[in-house]
Amino acid sequence: MTEKEKSLQGYLYNPMEESLIKEREAAKDLYFEYNRIRPSDYEQRTALLKKLLGGYQQHFLIEQPFYCTYGYHITLGEYFFANLDCTISDGAPVVFGDHVFIGPHVSFLTEGHAFDPQLRSEGYEYVAPIHVGHNVWICANVSVLPGVTIGDNCIIGAGSVVSRDIPAGSLAMGNPCRVVRPITPEDRDKFPWAPEYT
């Protein structure tokens, strides 16, 4: 069994296997190039991201700079938007639903190191996938940790560390991130200029 196969089956693995090093280097070269494209050149930016990402829909935008581990484990839903300095550490799949908005300086971290100090010093780590549902807004400076699922229609408050699953329809925030309350129809009426539903 290769180290990559071990990782995707939930075992501790050593990421220094030569094939994994080469895959990470390939991703680094692509996002290095992406981060140096003129920001107004959307066509070239989109074309390069399509080489890097594992899955995407017709409409998406990732602001520069952007960083990832492999790229091919990342799947974007329709109308995905990530603001500047997004990091997706995709040792395992990171899947986003439709209409996901990501604030500045947000990290999605599927990788963790071995708890045992000897194994950790030998380079062993583990990965666990991250899933983000539809219509989710993740505010600035949030860290989403390995194995987390964020349900549909959630808001994650700025500066949160999301270490556990967040149920659908929740406003959640803090370190560790906790549900504050459900999002309700009354939230639509907080602003007098809210448009009518069609």
Side-chain angles (χ1 to χ4, degrees), residues 117-172:
Q118 181 176 346
L119 290 173
R120 189 167 60 247
S121 68
E122 293 172 5
Y124 284 94
E125 61 182 42
Y126 65 91
V127 295
I130 292 172
H131 293 89
V132 178
H134 302 299
N135 304 306
V136 172
W137 173 23
I138 300 179
C139 299
N141 298 301
V142 169
S143 296
V144 182
L145 301 189
V148 164
T149 294
I150 299 173
D152 295 347
N153 306 313
C154 285
I155 298 173
I156 307 298
S160 297
V161 177
V162 189
S163 58
R164 66 183 104 183
D165 292 352
I166 304 297
S170 298
L171 172 64

Side-chain angles (χ1 to χ4, degrees), residues 6-67:
K6 290 177 188 176
S7 72
L8 295 176
Q9 293 188 36
Y11 298 120
L12 284 176
Y13 75 103
N14 193 321
M16 299 313 292
E17 184 177 77
E18 185 176 356
S19 63
L20 291 176
I21 292 172
K22 288 181 178 178
E23 289 181 358
R24 290 194 299 272
E25 287 175 346
K28 288 176 185 177
D29 284 346
L30 285 171
Y31 71 65
F32 177 90
E33 183 179 349
Y34 177 74
N35 291 334
R36 281 149 184 82
I37 296 172
R38 185 178 294 277
S40 60
D41 191 347
Y42 290 104
E43 186 174 328
Q44 186 180 357
R45 286 171 59 185
T46 300
L48 200 146
L49 283 175
K50 287 179 177 180
K51 294 180 183 177
L52 179 61
L53 300 173
Y56 47 83
Q57 300 298 319
Q58 183 176 356
H59 302 97
F60 63 90
L61 176 61
I62 299 177
E63 296 290 9
Q64 300 148 302
F66 168 68
Y67 309 96

